[in-house]
Structures are given as structure tokens and as C-alpha cells.
Amino acid sequence: MVEELVIAVIAVVCACGLYAMAAARVVKQYERGVVLRLGRLREGVRGPGFTTVIPFVDKLRKVNMQIVTMPVPAQDGITRDNVTVRVDAVIYFKVVDAADAVIRVEDYRFAVSQMAQTSLRSIIGKSDLDDLLSNREKLNQGLELMIDSPSIGWGVQIDRVEIKDVSLPETMKRSMARQAEADRERRARVINADAELQASKKLAEAAKQMSGQPAALQLRLLQTVVAVAAEKNSTLVLPFPVELLRFLERATPAQAVQAVQAVSEAVQPVAPTPAAAAPPPVQASEEVEEAKEAKEAEGVEGVEKVETKAAGPAGATAAERR
């Protein structure tokens, strides 16, 4: 009798131990427990710590309440200005209602991932290339609103969405590089033109100041001559009087030509003048003809002498007869 009682007590203790082991559950600090009893949601969410359920009747679903970092796969799309790009992003979200995350959606992670991909493609089609490259904050906010709207009913809150990278075709990269180079060249030319304008204004002020003192312009000319002479080169500097230029401005065209000729004669070396008693062209031609006749006469006399020597006395007689 005693043995049967001891066996019964041991059996009860083992059954209680097995029941306690089957009913005991531990929920971590960053988790919440949702209990389904015979498939029906129990009111209340189990907090962190030790809790129990009815074995084979209740089912405890643990939901992670931490912020989840999920990369969005790169999506190919065409922007509003017809440029093909490849964009990838990252999304940060967390569960704020464990019961809705279990009851209202089958897999909230997969649902959020698919919603992020479709929203990313939609935001690419609505944006220009310049917005994707320079105005990402605005696009991130729009993408966050597009994903957060349906996810509220799933018990999920979108914390942040960031566009990671925008990949462009190589042809588009070269075009953008040429555009940037052209823009920099344009700015350089504008700056150079502005500098020329400022320099011209300063030169105009200097000319106005020097116009009252002509000696100042002469001093400036001498300084320029000194600066040029300081360099070891073969440059020849001929100062040109400014008063002559002013005279040419006021003079008539005929007077200006005469003044320029006078200056050129003063600068150039004087060439030797020909002989004053040069004969006219007619006299020169007569002298040439007389010289030719004299040469012909000398030639005839030479021939006669040769014939005389060759013929002897007969030749002399013939010559005398002639």
C-alpha cells in the first residue's frame, strides 16, 4: 500500500514537472509575446520575462521589437528625363504593434521589402536625374511616406529610408564630365572678362588723371623703355611723340600724310644722292652709238693691217688702190 502511494506521488511530481516544462516560456527584453489559444488571439501581449502557456492549447509567437536594417535590392529604372539608372537603398523599420504584425500580415519583413522595391521604382520614374544626384533628402522623405502608408496597418513603423547609390551608364558619365568641364571653362571666361572690365576702368581713370599732366605720360613712357631695356634682348625702342599723334588727330588727311613722311625721313638714314650732272637719257644713247662706231672703225683698220702683212707689196698696192 505504501509502495503504491509512493509511486503515485512520484508520478504526480513527474507529471507536474513535465507540465511546467511544457508551459514555461521566457520572453527576452527586446521581444513581445502574442498568445493564440486554439487559434484565437488572446487579449494582451506578454511582456519580457517568465510566462506560462497551456501546453497543446496555447501557442506563443515572439515578435522582435528592435529596429531592423534591410537593404533594398538595386532597381533599374528610367527617370523622368529618359535616363537609365540603377538605384539601391536601405530601409530602417521596427514593429510597434506585435499583435498586428502577427495577425494582419503573413510575413511583415517580406511585405516591407516588396513595398520598398516598388516604391523605389516609382520614385525613380517621378524624379529627374539631377534630383537623384543632388536632392536625395527630398527623395528619401517621399520614399519613406510611400512605404510608411501601407505599413501602418501591419504594426510596422518606417524609421528611415536612404538611397545608397545611383549607378549611371558610362556614356552618361562622360557626358556629365564634358558638361562640367564646359561649365568650368565658361566660369573662367566670365571671371577673365570681369577682370578685363575692371582693368579697363582703372586704365580709363589713369588716363583721365594723366591727361591733366602731360609730363606724367612721358615719365610713364620712360619707365616702359627702362623696363624693356632691362631684359637682354635685341628689341629696339623708338619713342613716338604723343604731341604728334594729337596733331594728326586734329589735322586734315593731307597734313597728316605730310607729317608722317617728315617723321619717316627723320628716322630713316639719308641715302647718297646721284651726281648732279647726270646726262639726260637722249645724250646717253648718242654716246653709246658713237662708241660703237669707233669700235667698228678700229676693227676695219685691224683687218686692213692683217691683209697688208699677208700680201706683201702686192697687197700694199691693192690697198693703195683701194
Side-chain angles (χ1 to χ4, degrees):
M1 185 67 181
V2 177
E3 293 179 358
E4 293 179 358
L5 183 60
V6 172
I7 294 172
V9 171
I10 293 174
V12 170
V13 172
C14 291
C16 292
L18 293 175
Y19 179 82
M21 291 177 61
R25 296 288 188 275
V26 176
V27 180
K28 297 179 181 179
Q29 182 66 35
Y30 54 85
E31 295 177 340
R32 296 295 182 269
V34 178
V35 179
L36 298 176
R37 178 167 294 176
L38 298 177
R40 187 180 182 86
L41 178 65
R42 294 283 297 175
E43 295 182 359
V45 178
R46 304 294 175 89
F50 179 79
T51 184
T52 59
V53 296
I54 300 175
F56 309 108
V57 177
D58 294 342
K59 185 177 181 181
L60 181 65
R61 293 279 301 272
K62 298 179 181 180
V63 180
N64 192 339
M65 306 296 289
Q66 292 177 318
I67 295 177
V68 180
T69 302
M70 179 181 293
V72 181
Q75 301 296 315
D76 294 327
I78 300 176
T79 60
R80 189 166 57 183
D81 50 355
N82 297 326
V83 179
T84 303
V85 294
R86 186 179 180 87
V87 183
D88 57 350
V90 60
I91 182 173
Y92 303 88
F93 67 93
K94 63 180 179 179
V95 177
V96 293
D97 193 339
D100 290 342
V102 173
I103 301 300
R104 294 182 178 272
V105 64
E106 180 181 3
D107 187 354
Y108 66 90
R109 290 175 178 266
F110 182 75
V112 171
S113 175
Q114 295 300 313
M115 180 59 65
Q117 295 180 31
T118 55
S119 300
L120 183 58
R121 289 187 179 182
S122 178
I123 206 72
I124 290 173
K126 295 179 181 179
S127 304
D128 295 333
L129 179 61
D130 294 338
D131 295 335
L132 288 175
L133 296 176
S134 60
N135 197 10
R136 292 190 181 183
E137 294 182 358
K138 184 178 180 181
L139 297 179
N140 293 336
Q141 294 176 0
L143 189 59
E144 181 179 348
L145 291 176
M146 293 177 66
I147 302 174
D148 194 26
S149 298
S151 63
I152 293 177
W154 305 336
V156 177
Q157 179 183 355
I158 305 300
D159 188 66
R160 193 171 184 178
V161 180
E162 293 287 344
I163 295 177
K164 292 174 60 178
D165 187 22
V166 178
S167 300
L168 300 174
E170 293 297 330
T171 55
M172 181 57 62
K173 290 181 180 179
R174 290 194 293 267
S175 300
M176 294 178 66
R178 290 195 299 268
Q179 180 182 0
E181 184 178 359
D183 186 40
R184 287 193 295 268
E185 185 177 357
R186 178 184 62 84
R187 284 184 290 178
R189 290 184 178 180
V190 169
I191 293 173
N192 190 15
D194 190 12
E196 292 290 340
L197 178 60
Q198 294 179 5
S200 63
K201 290 181 179 179
K202 295 296 183 182
L203 289 175
E205 293 179 1
K208 185 177 179 181
Q209 187 71 20
M210 289 183 179
S211 62
Q213 298 291 335
L217 188 60
Q218 295 294 333
L219 293 176
R220 181 59 182 166
L221 178 61
L222 294 176
Q223 290 178 357
T224 304
V225 172
V226 172
V228 173
E231 300 178 359
K232 295 181 179 180
N233 50 26
S234 59
T235 305
L236 179 62
V237 180
L238 295 177
F240 200 74
V242 181
E243 289 77 5
L244 181 58
L245 295 178
R246 295 175 181 173
F247 171 74
L248 294 177
E249 292 178 356
R250 296 192 299 266
T252 60
Q255 294 176 351
V257 171
Q258 293 178 1
V260 171
Q261 291 178 356
V263 172
S264 61
E265 291 177 359
V267 172
Q268 293 179 357
V270 180
T273 57
V282 178
Q283 296 178 359
S285 61
E286 293 178 355
E287 292 179 357
V288 171
E289 291 179 358
E290 291 179 357
K292 289 182 178 180
E293 291 178 357
K295 288 182 180 180
E296 290 178 357
E298 291 177 359
V300 171
E301 292 178 357
V303 171
E304 291 178 353
K305 289 179 180 181
V306 172
E307 289 179 355
T308 302
K309 290 179 180 182
T317 305
E320 290 176 357
R321 290 178 182 178
R322 290 179 183 176

Short mmCIF file of all heavy atoms in Angstrom, two decimals, residues 145-196:
data_model
loop_
_atom_site.label_atom_id
_atom_site.label_comp_id
_atom_site.label_asym_id
_atom_site.label_seq_id
_atom_site.Cartn_x
_atom_site.Cartn_y
_atom_site.Cartn_z
N LEU A 145 7.45 58.14 -46.96
CA LEU A 145 5.99 58.27 -46.88
C LEU A 145 5.28 57.20 -47.70
O LEU A 145 4.25 56.65 -47.27
CB LEU A 145 5.58 59.66 -47.37
CG LEU A 145 5.98 60.84 -46.47
CD1 LEU A 145 5.60 62.15 -47.14
CD2 LEU A 145 5.32 60.72 -45.11
N MET A 146 5.84 56.87 -48.87
CA MET A 146 5.22 55.85 -49.72
C MET A 146 5.24 54.48 -49.05
O MET A 146 4.30 53.69 -49.20
CB MET A 146 5.92 55.80 -51.07
CG MET A 146 5.74 57.06 -51.91
SD MET A 146 6.65 56.99 -53.48
CE MET A 146 5.79 55.66 -54.30
N ILE A 147 6.29 54.16 -48.32
CA ILE A 147 6.39 52.85 -47.67
C ILE A 147 5.62 52.84 -46.35
O ILE A 147 5.03 51.82 -45.96
CB ILE A 147 7.86 52.48 -47.45
CG1 ILE A 147 8.62 52.46 -48.78
CG2 ILE A 147 7.99 51.12 -46.78
CD1 ILE A 147 10.11 52.25 -48.65
N ASP A 148 5.62 53.97 -45.66
CA ASP A 148 5.01 54.02 -44.33
C ASP A 148 3.49 53.97 -44.37
O ASP A 148 2.85 53.50 -43.42
CB ASP A 148 5.47 55.29 -43.60
CG ASP A 148 5.15 55.23 -42.12
OD1 ASP A 148 5.07 54.11 -41.58
OD2 ASP A 148 4.99 56.30 -41.51
N SER A 149 2.89 54.44 -45.46
CA SER A 149 1.42 54.49 -45.52
C SER A 149 0.78 53.11 -45.40
O SER A 149 -0.12 52.91 -44.56
CB SER A 149 0.98 55.18 -46.82
OG SER A 149 1.46 56.52 -46.86
N PRO A 150 1.17 52.10 -46.19
CA PRO A 150 0.53 50.78 -46.01
C PRO A 150 1.06 50.00 -44.82
O PRO A 150 0.39 49.10 -44.30
CB PRO A 150 0.85 50.06 -47.31
CG PRO A 150 2.12 50.66 -47.78
CD PRO A 150 2.09 52.08 -47.34
N SER A 151 2.28 50.30 -44.38
CA SER A 151 2.87 49.51 -43.29
C SER A 151 2.30 49.87 -41.93
O SER A 151 2.55 49.13 -40.96
CB SER A 151 4.39 49.70 -43.28
OG SER A 151 4.73 51.05 -43.01
N ILE A 152 1.56 50.98 -41.81
CA ILE A 152 0.97 51.32 -40.51
C ILE A 152 -0.04 50.26 -40.09
O ILE A 152 -0.13 49.88 -38.92
CB ILE A 152 0.32 52.72 -40.58
CG1 ILE A 152 1.40 53.79 -40.77
CG2 ILE A 152 -0.50 53.00 -39.33
CD1 ILE A 152 0.84 55.19 -40.93
N GLY A 153 -0.81 49.76 -41.05
CA GLY A 153 -1.79 48.71 -40.71
C GLY A 153 -1.15 47.38 -40.37
O GLY A 153 -1.84 46.49 -39.84
N TRP A 154 0.13 47.20 -40.65
CA TRP A 154 0.81 45.96 -40.31
C TRP A 154 1.47 46.02 -38.95
O TRP A 154 2.16 45.07 -38.55
CB TRP A 154 1.87 45.64 -41.36
CG TRP A 154 1.33 45.59 -42.76
CD1 TRP A 154 0.04 45.34 -43.13
CD2 TRP A 154 2.07 45.78 -43.96
NE1 TRP A 154 -0.08 45.37 -44.49
CE2 TRP A 154 1.16 45.65 -45.05
CE3 TRP A 154 3.39 46.06 -44.26
CZ2 TRP A 154 1.53 45.77 -46.37
CZ3 TRP A 154 3.78 46.19 -45.58
CH2 TRP A 154 2.85 46.05 -46.62
N GLY A 155 1.32 47.11 -38.24
CA GLY A 155 2.01 47.26 -36.96
C GLY A 155 3.48 47.57 -37.10
O GLY A 155 4.25 47.34 -36.18
N VAL A 156 3.89 48.09 -38.27
CA VAL A 156 5.29 48.38 -38.56
C VAL A 156 5.43 49.89 -38.77
O VAL A 156 4.60 50.52 -39.44
CB VAL A 156 5.78 47.61 -39.80
CG1 VAL A 156 7.22 47.98 -40.13
CG2 VAL A 156 5.65 46.11 -39.57
N GLN A 157 6.47 50.45 -38.23
CA GLN A 157 6.77 51.87 -38.40
C GLN A 157 8.09 52.02 -39.15
O GLN A 157 9.10 51.46 -38.74
CB GLN A 157 6.85 52.58 -37.05
CG GLN A 157 7.18 54.07 -37.15
CD GLN A 157 7.33 54.72 -35.79
OE1 GLN A 157 7.10 54.08 -34.76
NE2 GLN A 157 7.72 55.97 -35.79
N ILE A 158 8.06 52.77 -40.23
CA ILE A 158 9.27 53.02 -41.02
C ILE A 158 10.04 54.15 -40.34
O ILE A 158 9.55 55.27 -40.22
CB ILE A 158 8.93 53.40 -42.47
CG1 ILE A 158 8.06 52.31 -43.11
CG2 ILE A 158 10.21 53.61 -43.27
CD1 ILE A 158 8.70 50.96 -43.15
N ASP A 159 11.24 53.83 -39.89
CA ASP A 159 12.04 54.82 -39.18
C ASP A 159 12.81 55.72 -40.14
O ASP A 159 12.85 56.95 -39.95
CB ASP A 159 13.02 54.11 -38.24
CG ASP A 159 13.73 55.09 -37.34
OD1 ASP A 159 13.07 55.72 -36.50
OD2 ASP A 159 14.97 55.23 -37.50
N ARG A 160 13.40 55.15 -41.18
CA ARG A 160 14.20 55.95 -42.11
C ARG A 160 14.44 55.16 -43.38
O ARG A 160 14.56 53.92 -43.35
CB ARG A 160 15.54 56.32 -41.47
CG ARG A 160 16.32 57.40 -42.21
CD ARG A 160 17.50 57.86 -41.39
NE ARG A 160 18.21 58.95 -42.03
CZ ARG A 160 19.26 59.56 -41.50
NH1 ARG A 160 19.71 59.18 -40.30
NH2 ARG A 160 19.85 60.55 -42.13
N VAL A 161 14.55 55.88 -44.50
CA VAL A 161 14.87 55.29 -45.80
C VAL A 161 15.97 56.13 -46.44
O VAL A 161 15.87 57.36 -46.48
CB VAL A 161 13.65 55.23 -46.72
CG1 VAL A 161 14.02 54.59 -48.06
CG2 VAL A 161 12.52 54.44 -46.06
N GLU A 162 17.01 55.49 -46.92
CA GLU A 162 18.15 56.20 -47.51
C GLU A 162 18.49 55.56 -48.86
O GLU A 162 18.55 54.33 -48.98
CB GLU A 162 19.38 56.12 -46.60
CG GLU A 162 19.25 56.88 -45.30
CD GLU A 162 19.32 58.38 -45.48
OE1 GLU A 162 19.76 58.83 -46.56
OE2 GLU A 162 18.93 59.10 -44.56
N ILE A 163 18.71 56.42 -49.86
CA ILE A 163 19.20 55.96 -51.16
C ILE A 163 20.72 55.81 -51.06
O ILE A 163 21.43 56.77 -50.77
CB ILE A 163 18.82 56.94 -52.28
CG1 ILE A 163 17.30 56.97 -52.44
CG2 ILE A 163 19.48 56.55 -53.60
CD1 ILE A 163 16.81 57.97 -53.47
N LYS A 164 21.22 54.63 -51.30
CA LYS A 164 22.64 54.37 -51.13
C LYS A 164 23.47 54.82 -52.32
O LYS A 164 24.43 55.57 -52.17
CB LYS A 164 22.86 52.86 -50.89
CG LYS A 164 22.32 52.36 -49.57
CD LYS A 164 22.43 50.86 -49.46
CE LYS A 164 23.86 50.38 -49.58
NZ LYS A 164 23.97 48.91 -49.43
N ASP A 165 23.12 54.36 -53.50
CA ASP A 165 23.97 54.63 -54.66
C ASP A 165 23.10 54.75 -55.90
O ASP A 165 22.05 54.10 -56.02
CB ASP A 165 24.99 53.51 -54.84
CG ASP A 165 26.01 53.82 -55.94
OD1 ASP A 165 26.19 55.01 -56.23
OD2 ASP A 165 26.59 52.88 -56.49
N VAL A 166 23.56 55.59 -56.82
CA VAL A 166 22.91 55.78 -58.13
C VAL A 166 23.96 55.47 -59.19
O VAL A 166 24.94 56.21 -59.33
CB VAL A 166 22.36 57.21 -58.30
CG1 VAL A 166 21.73 57.37 -59.67
CG2 VAL A 166 21.35 57.53 -57.20
N SER A 167 23.76 54.39 -59.91
CA SER A 167 24.70 53.98 -60.95
C SER A 167 24.23 54.50 -62.30
O SER A 167 23.06 54.32 -62.66
CB SER A 167 24.83 52.45 -60.99
OG SER A 167 25.29 51.95 -59.74
N LEU A 168 25.16 55.12 -63.04
CA LEU A 168 24.86 55.69 -64.35
C LEU A 168 25.61 54.94 -65.43
O LEU A 168 26.68 54.37 -65.18
CB LEU A 168 25.25 57.17 -64.39
CG LEU A 168 24.55 58.10 -63.38
CD1 LEU A 168 25.15 59.49 -63.46
CD2 LEU A 168 23.07 58.15 -63.64
N PRO A 169 25.11 54.95 -66.66
CA PRO A 169 25.87 54.36 -67.77
C PRO A 169 27.15 55.14 -68.03
O PRO A 169 27.27 56.32 -67.69
CB PRO A 169 24.89 54.46 -68.96
CG PRO A 169 23.55 54.64 -68.35
CD PRO A 169 23.76 55.37 -67.06
N GLU A 170 28.13 54.48 -68.66
CA GLU A 170 29.41 55.13 -68.93
C GLU A 170 29.26 56.31 -69.87
O GLU A 170 29.94 57.33 -69.73
CB GLU A 170 30.38 54.09 -69.52
CG GLU A 170 30.78 52.98 -68.56
CD GLU A 170 31.53 53.53 -67.36
OE1 GLU A 170 32.23 54.56 -67.50
OE2 GLU A 170 31.44 52.92 -66.29
N THR A 171 28.38 56.20 -70.85
CA THR A 171 28.17 57.32 -71.78
C THR A 171 27.64 58.54 -71.04
O THR A 171 28.05 59.68 -71.33
CB THR A 171 27.20 56.90 -72.89
OG1 THR A 171 25.97 56.42 -72.29
CG2 THR A 171 27.80 55.80 -73.73
N MET A 172 26.73 58.30 -70.10
CA MET A 172 26.19 59.43 -69.34
C MET A 172 27.25 60.04 -68.44
O MET A 172 27.29 61.27 -68.26
CB MET A 172 24.99 58.94 -68.51
CG MET A 172 24.32 60.05 -67.70
SD MET A 172 23.75 61.42 -68.71
CE MET A 172 22.56 60.59 -69.75
N LYS A 173 28.14 59.22 -67.90
CA LYS A 173 29.21 59.76 -67.07
C LYS A 173 30.14 60.65 -67.90
O LYS A 173 30.55 61.73 -67.45
CB LYS A 173 30.01 58.61 -66.45
CG LYS A 173 29.25 57.84 -65.38
CD LYS A 173 30.12 56.73 -64.80
CE LYS A 173 29.36 55.96 -63.73
NZ LYS A 173 30.18 54.86 -63.16
N ARG A 174 30.47 60.22 -69.11
CA ARG A 174 31.33 61.05 -69.97
C ARG A 174 30.63 62.35 -70.36
O ARG A 174 31.27 63.42 -70.41
CB ARG A 174 31.73 60.25 -71.22
CG ARG A 174 32.71 59.11 -70.93
CD ARG A 174 33.31 58.58 -72.22
NE ARG A 174 32.30 57.93 -73.04
CZ ARG A 174 32.03 56.63 -73.01
NH1 ARG A 174 32.70 55.83 -72.17
NH2 ARG A 174 31.11 56.10 -73.79
N SER A 175 29.33 62.26 -70.64
CA SER A 175 28.59 63.48 -70.99
C SER A 175 28.56 64.46 -69.83
O SER A 175 28.73 65.68 -70.01
CB SER A 175 27.16 63.10 -71.41
OG SER A 175 27.16 62.24 -72.53
N MET A 176 28.35 63.94 -68.64
CA MET A 176 28.34 64.82 -67.47
C MET A 176 29.72 65.43 -67.22
O MET A 176 29.82 66.58 -66.79
CB MET A 176 27.86 64.03 -66.25
CG MET A 176 26.42 63.59 -66.32
SD MET A 176 25.89 62.61 -64.90
CE MET A 176 25.99 63.84 -63.62
N ALA A 177 30.77 64.65 -67.48
CA ALA A 177 32.12 65.19 -67.31
C ALA A 177 32.38 66.32 -68.30
O ALA A 177 32.94 67.36 -67.94
CB ALA A 177 33.15 64.07 -67.49
N ARG A 178 31.95 66.14 -69.56
CA ARG A 178 32.11 67.22 -70.54
C ARG A 178 31.29 68.45 -70.17
O ARG A 178 31.73 69.59 -70.34
CB ARG A 178 31.71 66.72 -71.93
CG ARG A 178 32.67 65.71 -72.54
CD ARG A 178 32.42 65.54 -74.02
NE ARG A 178 31.08 65.03 -74.28
CZ ARG A 178 30.78 63.74 -74.40
NH1 ARG A 178 31.73 62.82 -74.28
NH2 ARG A 178 29.55 63.34 -74.64
N GLN A 179 30.08 68.22 -69.65
CA GLN A 179 29.25 69.34 -69.24
C GLN A 179 29.90 70.11 -68.09
O GLN A 179 29.91 71.35 -68.08
CB GLN A 179 27.87 68.83 -68.81
CG GLN A 179 26.92 69.93 -68.35
CD GLN A 179 25.60 69.37 -67.88
OE1 GLN A 179 25.38 68.16 -67.90
NE2 GLN A 179 24.70 70.24 -67.47
N ALA A 180 30.45 69.38 -67.12
CA ALA A 180 31.11 70.05 -66.00
C ALA A 180 32.34 70.81 -66.47
O ALA A 180 32.61 71.94 -66.00
CB ALA A 180 31.50 69.01 -64.94
N GLU A 181 33.09 70.24 -67.41
CA GLU A 181 34.26 70.93 -67.94
C GLU A 181 33.87 72.21 -68.68
O GLU A 181 34.52 73.26 -68.53
CB GLU A 181 35.03 69.99 -68.87
CG GLU A 181 36.33 70.58 -69.39
CD GLU A 181 37.09 69.61 -70.27
OE1 GLU A 181 36.60 68.48 -70.44
OE2 GLU A 181 38.15 69.98 -70.79
N ALA A 182 32.80 72.12 -69.48
CA ALA A 182 32.33 73.31 -70.19
C ALA A 182 31.85 74.39 -69.23
O ALA A 182 32.08 75.59 -69.44
CB ALA A 182 31.21 72.92 -71.16
N ASP A 183 31.19 73.96 -68.15
CA ASP A 183 30.73 74.94 -67.17
C ASP A 183 31.89 75.63 -66.48
O ASP A 183 31.88 76.85 -66.27
CB ASP A 183 29.83 74.22 -66.15
CG ASP A 183 29.18 75.19 -65.18
OD1 ASP A 183 28.75 76.28 -65.61
OD2 ASP A 183 29.11 74.88 -63.98
N ARG A 184 32.93 74.86 -66.13
CA ARG A 184 34.10 75.47 -65.51
C ARG A 184 34.80 76.43 -66.47
O ARG A 184 35.27 77.50 -66.07
CB ARG A 184 35.06 74.37 -65.05
CG ARG A 184 34.59 73.61 -63.83
CD ARG A 184 35.71 72.78 -63.24
NE ARG A 184 36.12 71.74 -64.15
CZ ARG A 184 35.63 70.50 -64.17
NH1 ARG A 184 34.68 70.17 -63.32
NH2 ARG A 184 36.09 69.60 -65.03
N GLU A 185 34.88 76.05 -67.76
CA GLU A 185 35.51 76.94 -68.74
C GLU A 185 34.69 78.22 -68.90
O GLU A 185 35.27 79.31 -69.02
CB GLU A 185 35.62 76.22 -70.08
CG GLU A 185 36.36 77.01 -71.14
CD GLU A 185 36.52 76.23 -72.44
OE1 GLU A 185 36.11 75.05 -72.46
OE2 GLU A 185 37.06 76.80 -73.40
N ARG A 186 33.36 78.09 -68.89
CA ARG A 186 32.52 79.29 -69.00
C ARG A 186 32.73 80.22 -67.82
O ARG A 186 32.87 81.44 -67.98
CB ARG A 186 31.05 78.86 -69.06
CG ARG A 186 30.07 80.03 -69.14
CD ARG A 186 28.64 79.52 -69.09
NE ARG A 186 28.36 78.85 -67.84
CZ ARG A 186 28.02 79.47 -66.72
NH1 ARG A 186 27.93 80.79 -66.69
NH2 ARG A 186 27.77 78.77 -65.62
N ARG A 187 32.80 79.65 -66.62
CA ARG A 187 33.03 80.49 -65.44
C ARG A 187 34.41 81.15 -65.50
O ARG A 187 34.57 82.31 -65.09
CB ARG A 187 32.89 79.65 -64.18
CG ARG A 187 31.45 79.33 -63.82
CD ARG A 187 31.35 78.59 -62.52
NE ARG A 187 31.86 77.24 -62.64
CZ ARG A 187 31.93 76.37 -61.63
NH1 ARG A 187 31.56 76.73 -60.43
NH2 ARG A 187 32.39 75.16 -61.83
N ALA A 188 35.40 80.42 -66.01
CA ALA A 188 36.74 81.02 -66.13
C ALA A 188 36.73 82.19 -67.11
O ALA A 188 37.35 83.24 -66.86
CB ALA A 188 37.74 79.96 -66.57
N ARG A 189 36.01 82.03 -68.22
CA ARG A 189 35.94 83.13 -69.18
C ARG A 189 35.19 84.32 -68.61
O ARG A 189 35.57 85.48 -68.87
CB ARG A 189 35.25 82.64 -70.45
CG ARG A 189 36.10 81.65 -71.26
CD ARG A 189 35.42 81.28 -72.56
NE ARG A 189 36.25 80.37 -73.36
CZ ARG A 189 35.89 79.89 -74.54
NH1 ARG A 189 34.71 80.22 -75.05
NH2 ARG A 189 36.69 79.08 -75.19
N VAL A 190 34.14 84.06 -67.86
CA VAL A 190 33.39 85.17 -67.25
C VAL A 190 34.27 85.92 -66.26
O VAL A 190 34.28 87.16 -66.21
CB VAL A 190 32.12 84.63 -66.58
CG1 VAL A 190 31.46 85.71 -65.72
CG2 VAL A 190 31.12 84.15 -67.63
N ILE A 191 35.04 85.17 -65.47
CA ILE A 191 35.92 85.82 -64.50
C ILE A 191 37.00 86.62 -65.21
O ILE A 191 37.34 87.74 -64.81
CB ILE A 191 36.54 84.74 -63.58
CG1 ILE A 191 35.46 84.11 -62.70
CG2 ILE A 191 37.63 85.35 -62.69
CD1 ILE A 191 35.94 82.93 -61.89
N ASN A 192 37.54 86.06 -66.31
CA ASN A 192 38.55 86.78 -67.08
C ASN A 192 37.98 88.06 -67.69
O ASN A 192 38.62 89.11 -67.68
CB ASN A 192 39.10 85.87 -68.18
CG ASN A 192 40.31 86.47 -68.86
OD1 ASN A 192 40.91 87.41 -68.36
ND2 ASN A 192 40.67 85.91 -70.00
N ALA A 193 36.75 87.97 -68.23
CA ALA A 193 36.12 89.16 -68.81
C ALA A 193 35.85 90.21 -67.73
O ALA A 193 36.02 91.42 -67.97
CB ALA A 193 34.82 88.76 -69.51
N ASP A 194 35.43 89.77 -66.56
CA ASP A 194 35.21 90.71 -65.46
C ASP A 194 36.51 91.40 -65.06
O ASP A 194 36.54 92.61 -64.79
CB ASP A 194 34.60 89.96 -64.28
CG ASP A 194 34.12 90.89 -63.19
OD1 ASP A 194 34.04 92.11 -63.45
OD2 ASP A 194 33.82 90.42 -62.08
N ALA A 195 37.60 90.62 -65.04
CA ALA A 195 38.89 91.22 -64.73
C ALA A 195 39.31 92.24 -65.78
O ALA A 195 39.84 93.31 -65.46
CB ALA A 195 39.95 90.12 -64.60
N GLU A 196 39.06 91.91 -67.06
CA GLU A 196 39.39 92.87 -68.12
C GLU A 196 38.56 94.15 -67.99
O GLU A 196 39.07 95.26 -68.22
CB GLU A 196 39.13 92.22 -69.49
CG GLU A 196 40.07 91.08 -69.83
CD GLU A 196 41.50 91.57 -70.09
OE1 GLU A 196 41.66 92.76 -70.37
OE2 GLU A 196 42.42 90.74 -69.99
#
